[in-house]
Amino acid sequence: KAGVTQTPRYLIKTRGQQVTLSCSPISGHRSVSWYQQTPGQGLQFLFEYFSETQRNKGNFPGRFSGRQFSNSRSEMNVSTLELGDSALYLCASSFAGELFFGEGSRLTVL
Amino acid sequence: SQQGEEDPQALSIQEGENATMNCSYKTSINNLQWYRQNSGRGLVHLILIRSNEREKHSGRLRVTLDTSKKSSSLLITASRAADTASYFCATDAYNNNDMRFGAGTRLTVKP
């Protein structure tokens, strides 16, 4: 089985721009979670989707949004980028309570 | 917000030695999991222990859980240089679909 695939792996944006990150879960996994990882804050939960519905949301501003499609692929969007949004964004699909992570998308905001 | 806290923040040992990492959490849980992350990569699931279990083994890994103290420990025996990574505990304190991670322990195993 292919693992969780995240695209793009690396990207550079400037303040004020917006970015969309994509995540393809493991085939058959219907739950997708997103995390932000920074040196200062560690791994912070963003949101979780199941069957195209957001089930849980972390404590992030409205600039952070996401969605899930009928094939379980998910996207997250960050609008009006700030320098502090520079981070590794990790997506994970889950099965039986275990999270399977992608390699992440490293976003640098200049 | 983070749920767990790992201790120590960093650990450096020689190859062949055992490494012990601890995790404390704040609220009741259904299960606790340990993950490993090589620098800048995704996390890899190591082991899951349920709240009604006290100890679990997987290869060179041994995990204990003390729900009365809200703490867990991960023991890696006979460490190898390839075990060098960051180790995180994660709990489902909020609900089964929302895993919260601690800050991690950075383990360095010197050859």
Side-chain angles (χ1 to χ4, degrees), chain A residues 20-92:
Chain A
T20 299
L21 308 178
S22 179
C23 172
S24 293
I26 291 172
S27 178
H29 290 191
R30 295 165 63 188
S31 170
V32 173
S33 299
W34 287 90
Y35 291 83
Q36 181 197 65
Q37 187 176 30
T38 60
Q41 298 297 317
L43 273 157
Q44 300 286 324
F45 172 78
L46 280 157
F47 25 65
E48 186 255 351
Y49 287 87
F50 182 87
S51 292
E52 302 179 67
T53 301
Q54 186 182 89
R55 289 199 297 193
N56 299 286
K57 189 176 189 303
N59 189 26
F60 276 80
R63 300 185 297 108
F64 291 81
S65 63
R67 59 178 176 167
Q68 186 179 35
F69 302 94
S70 58
N71 62 357
S72 293
R73 189 178 71 85
S74 178
E75 289 181 348
M76 67 162 284
N77 183 278
V78 188
S79 62
T80 320
L81 284 166
E82 300 176 359
L83 294 179
D85 297 333
S86 293
L88 180 66
Y89 289 88
L90 291 163
C91 162

Side-chain angles (χ1 to χ4, degrees), chain B residues 57-106:
Chain B
H57 297 255
S58 177
R60 294 185 295 113
L61 305 180
R62 172 178 169 255
V63 169
T64 62
L65 179 64
D66 186 335
T67 52
S68 66
K69 295 181 179 178
K70 292 187 170 57
S71 68
S72 172
S73 68
L74 170 67
L75 168 68
I76 303 175
T77 60
S79 64
R80 305 166 182 168
D83 294 329
T84 294
S86 291
Y87 292 82
F88 296 87
C89 69
T91 59
D92 66 344
Y94 294 85
N95 59 61
N96 276 323
N97 308 305
D98 178 357
M99 299 296 293
R100 301 293 174 113
F101 287 79
T105 293
R106 174 68 190 168

Side-chain angles (χ1 to χ4, degrees), chain B residues 14-74:
Chain B
Q14 294 293 137
E15 211 166 26
E17 293 180 337
N18 295 341
T20 300
M21 290 159 270
N22 304 297
C23 167
S24 60
Y25 56 91
K26 298 172 185 172
T27 62
S28 298
I29 61 172
N30 294 310
N31 67 67
L32 183 144
Q33 302 182 42
W34 285 90
Y35 288 81
R36 162 201 169 116
Q37 183 182 36
N38 285 62
S39 183
R41 307 288 297 276
L43 282 74
V44 175
H45 180 264
L46 293 175
I47 197 164
L48 179 153
I49 186 166
R50 302 196 185 281
S51 60
N52 61 354
E53 297 176 308
R54 291 296 166 258
E55 187 171 312
K56 205 163 183 180
H57 297 255
S58 177
R60 294 185 295 113
L61 305 180
R62 172 178 169 255
V63 169
T64 62
L65 179 64
D66 186 335
T67 52
S68 66
K69 295 181 179 178
K70 292 187 170 57
S71 68
S72 172
S73 68
L74 170 67

Side-chain angles (χ1 to χ4, degrees), chain A residues 91-102:
Chain A
C91 162
S93 65
S94 70
F95 182 77
E98 178 182 336
L99 295 173
F100 296 82
F101 283 86

